[in-house]
């Protein structure tokens, strides 16, 4: 597999086919793992970094990986490709721009990615469309089991899996769900959601994880602690909450459609109009407009555009994706023009 | 003629057919006249107001009016109809909402209107599309000559025609040209125009004359004094200046098209998109968006919409016009919905 194969396809999670896909973009499970008898990366020198990367890469080659996996070294990868993988949520920003030998293993359908030498030796991620935490978990679990046979994990009977940051120790599991909550944002009720989820040990983050801003009304909800509970218990804790948030968003949408029908239609159609006619458009404005259009598609205000078209537009209008399509380095204004042109073409096809 | 006849037709000046019609909306001449041996309205009681109104109305019936003219009493006219005539630039706001017996005579093609008992006993207005001050003058002059045979004007050999406000004394003539100057506004060069014209005794006003704001990038340029010059000299003074302003606006437009082509296209197409898709839209936003679209049509960015369609949209989207079309009193939000719906329909037809 080459990275350019990803470009022409789109990840399984973009399809908009999973359960509750009009509000839940994707479900993600990630495991943090480290090798036993090896230094943590926080105290490793460059040589040890390199040894670890080689050791894990060979382990991945030997392990039985369901569906197969391709490995890419990070330090020799062009910056544009690294940004491209960040935009696809396959690697973290820290992994893209960090130092030392490291890499990423990717399943072709992008449901599994393995970051080697990120914060921990291994970060195994499963990503599925819609509300499918169990499916994401089963994929990650299969990969984890396969790797466990080839690599000896650092594990304490008392604490569980050992990690660089103590907050990941235990299961090493973070379960997160990406939600699209435009109505709760419009009516400023989103803060209530934040307060409610924080009370039960969950946290809310922006589109690209820790420390990033919410954009396009997308919010990631995930567990805070990984210790003292089983993997399934962590997943269940989130699984109980998400349907309530979905219900809340839907209720507010329905109320808005009932009480402010014209205002909703106006918001959605104006957003669609801007996307369809703009000649110069920033990434930020695109996200905001696509968010309104996505809600409009979900509410049946716009009927001729597929949800998958909107999901793809969110991804393909980002800077690295645009530049890889054009096979050129573009400055900001050029990107804003290419973005507008791409969206116009896509919306015409999508109708 | 009934007022509803005006509703289905549109005035000659809307056609967008006159010279320089892409920048000059209309040319207007108005004469202020008072009857000799009668009190000015500023010192008339209600009975005298009524006598004057009857005297002038009868004079208008007896005078040979080129093309014919219909007379409407103002004090019995529904408020909505008065506002309708203001929006069409056929009467002033003061005339619409003032006190005492008064009326208006209208030519069917709206090129001539005569306000009776506005500030002066008579205000005779000629309105033509594009840059046609001489044509507007010849129409007004013909009506003035016709009335002069039936009504004895207050005239002093020393001062000329006598008027309530001394600034109108002399010829009683105000010549004004309505210009559409979006590029000069965009580039903030419009102030230079204001400064330049004020130096040669001209003044700049908004869309509805004295004391009104500029809206939709429309500006009226007219003479300040009416004394000490012949009618033709006053008209010539403006006729010399207007082509320079037109040239200035065109140069700035061309520079923008050359240097910021995408930004211009973006501005024009976004405005078009909003008009075509909005479900709720205020009068003010409509004016701003139509202004950009009008410039876009003029520059050939938008090719499938006629200038007359845009000119009509400026007029027919105003509050009284919308309500007369719907034959209903509408509150502000209802108007904003009806306006959006009207624009969508019109732009679909206009393509």
């Amino acid at each position: 597999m080459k990275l350019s194969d990803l470009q022409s396809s789109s990840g399984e999670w973009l399809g908009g086919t999973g359960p509750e896909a009009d509000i839940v973009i994707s479900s993600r499970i990630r495991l943090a793992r480290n090798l036993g008898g090896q230094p943590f990366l926080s105290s490793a020198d460059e040589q040890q970094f390199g040894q670890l990367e080689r050791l894990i890469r060979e382990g991945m080659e030997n392990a039985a990986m369901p569906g197969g996996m391709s490995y890419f070294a990070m330090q020799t990868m062009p910056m544009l490709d690294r940004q491209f993988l960040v935009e696809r949520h396959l690697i973290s920003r820290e992994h893209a721009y960090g130092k030392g030998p490291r890499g990423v293993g990717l399943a072709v359908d992008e449901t599994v990615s393995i970051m080697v030498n990120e914060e921990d030796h291994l970060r195994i991620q499963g990503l599925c469309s819609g509300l499918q935490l169990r499916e994401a978990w089963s994929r990650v679990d299969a990969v984890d089991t396969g790797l466990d046979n080839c690599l000896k994990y650092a594990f304490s009977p008392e604490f569980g899996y050992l990690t660089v940051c103590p907050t990941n120790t235990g299961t090493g599991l973070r379960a997160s769900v990406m939600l699209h909550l435009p109505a709760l944002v419009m009516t400023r009720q989103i803060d209530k959601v934040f307060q409610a989820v924080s009370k039960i040990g969950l946290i809310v983050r922006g589109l690209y994880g820790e420390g990033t801003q919410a954009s396009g009304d997308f919010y990631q909800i995930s567990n805070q602690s990984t210790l003292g509970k089983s993997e399934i218990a962590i997943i269940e804790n989130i699984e109980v909450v998400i349907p309530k948030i979905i219900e809340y968003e839907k209720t507010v949408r329905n109320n808005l459609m009932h009480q402010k029908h014209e205002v909703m239609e106006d918001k959605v159609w104006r957003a669609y109009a801007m996307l369809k006619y703009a000649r110069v458009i920033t990434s930020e404005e695109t996200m905001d407009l696509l968010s309104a259009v996505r809600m409009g598609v979900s509410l049946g205000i716009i009927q001729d555009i597929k949800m998958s078209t909107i999901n793809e537009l969110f991804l393909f209008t980002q800077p690295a994706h645009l530049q890889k399509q054009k096979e050129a380095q573009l400055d900001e204004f050029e990107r804003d023009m290419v973005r507008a042109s791409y969206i116009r073409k896509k919306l015409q096809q999508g109708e």
Side-chain angles (χ1 to χ4, degrees), chain A:
Chain A
M1 187 179 85
K2 291 172 294 179
L3 273 191
S4 54
D5 296 337
L6 294 183
Q7 199 182 336
S8 49
S9 77
S10 36
E12 187 275 342
W13 62 277
L14 274 174
T17 51
E20 305 286 0
D22 53 342
I23 291 176
V24 185
I25 308 297
S26 59
S27 300
R28 195 170 76 102
I29 300 284
R30 75 108 171 96
L31 296 176
R33 296 288 185 260
N34 289 277
L35 304 195
Q38 297 284 348
F40 279 151
L41 293 171
S42 48
S43 56
D45 62 25
E46 185 157 349
Q47 200 191 350
Q48 291 170 316
F49 242 88
Q51 281 168 350
L52 278 160
E53 192 267 344
R54 195 170 56 249
L55 204 62
I56 298 167
R57 175 160 40 84
E58 286 167 4
M60 285 167 65
E61 281 163 15
N62 295 331
M65 291 289 190
M69 188 154 288
S70 302
Y71 187 82
F72 302 91
M74 199 54 57
Q75 64 274 29
T76 54
M77 188 184 281
M79 281 297 175
L80 194 59
D81 288 349
R82 301 186 203 184
Q83 198 188 338
F84 175 80
L85 293 178
V86 172
E87 290 175 2
R88 290 183 96 82
H89 298 272
L90 295 170
I91 63 173
S92 65
R93 290 187 184 195
E94 294 69 26
H95 198 52
Y97 308 117
K99 281 189 176 166
R102 64 208 187 287
V104 63
L106 298 174
V108 176
D109 67 357
E110 300 177 47
T111 51
V112 179
S113 70
I114 304 172
M115 286 186 276
V116 176
N117 287 358
E118 203 241 22
E119 183 178 289
D120 295 296
H121 297 159
L122 287 143
R123 289 281 177 105
I124 309 166
Q125 171 184 274
L127 192 62
C128 291
S129 69
L131 186 54
Q132 297 195 78
L133 281 170
R134 305 269 174 152
E135 177 62 27
W137 164 241
S138 95
R139 291 183 185 232
V140 165
D141 192 29
V143 169
D144 186 47
T145 304
L147 286 172
D148 202 9
N149 294 331
C150 305
L151 303 165
K152 200 177 148 254
Y153 287 150
F155 183 84
S156 140
E158 190 183 354
F159 295 114
Y161 292 101
L162 302 177
T163 55
V164 172
C165 181
T167 59
N168 291 317
T169 298
T171 57
L173 182 145
R174 172 157 289 156
S176 61
V177 176
M178 179 84 78
L179 298 165
H180 184 228
L181 303 172
L184 291 173
V185 173
M186 269 177 80
T187 56
R188 292 181 189 148
Q189 296 185 62
I190 192 79
D191 288 340
K192 291 188 199 164
V193 174
F194 294 172
Q195 286 162 18
V197 301
S198 71
K199 282 182 191 160
I200 51 165
L202 301 180
I203 45 174
V204 182
R205 295 193 168 98
L207 187 59
Y208 288 98
E210 215 163 331
T212 66
Q213 283 270 312
S215 178
D217 305 321
F218 291 117
Y219 294 91
Q220 268 187 58
I221 293 183
S222 57
N223 58 307
Q224 195 144 22
S225 68
T226 69
L227 189 67
K229 280 183 187 168
S230 72
E231 287 83 353
I232 292 302
I234 292 170
I235 291 172
E236 272 172 355
N237 191 28
I238 295 189
E239 276 180 338
V240 168
V241 173
I242 299 299
K244 292 180 185 160
I245 301 175
I246 294 172
E247 199 50 43
Y248 192 10
E249 168 72 17
K250 282 187 177 170
T251 302
V252 173
R253 287 187 189 187
N254 289 338
N255 288 347
L256 286 171
M257 283 297 275
H258 194 67
Q259 293 155 14
K260 297 188 173 183
H261 188 75
E262 295 82 8
V263 174
M264 287 289 274
E265 290 228 326
D266 189 59
K267 183 181 170 71
V268 168
W269 283 116
R270 279 174 181 253
Y272 173 75
M274 288 292 88
L275 290 168
K276 196 163 167 174
Y277 283 93
R279 261 56 182 172
V280 185
I281 193 163
T282 64
S283 185
E284 200 181 351
E285 188 187 2
T286 301
M287 295 287 279
D288 288 342
L289 296 175
L290 282 174
S291 173
V293 169
R294 193 179 197 283
M295 180 175 63
V297 170
S298 163
L299 288 170
I301 293 172
I302 299 179
Q303 302 198 329
D304 302 330
I305 302 179
K306 289 185 214 142
M307 195 58 99
S308 58
T309 303
I310 304 298
N311 287 355
E312 281 173 26
L313 276 171
F314 273 112
L315 185 60
F316 290 126
T317 55
Q318 292 183 59
H321 275 75
L322 285 176
Q323 292 174 86
K324 280 191 71 76
Q325 279 165 53
K326 280 276 161 187
E327 294 174 356
Q329 287 276 354
L330 304 171
D331 67 29
E332 203 177 320
F333 188 71
E334 288 168 334
R335 285 203 303 271
D336 290 351
M337 284 193 292
V338 169
R339 181 177 295 113
S341 159
Y342 177 80
I343 296 168
R344 285 203 306 282
K345 213 169 87 185
K346 197 84 183 172
L347 284 182
Q348 248 143 21
Q349 289 167 355
E351 281 188 338

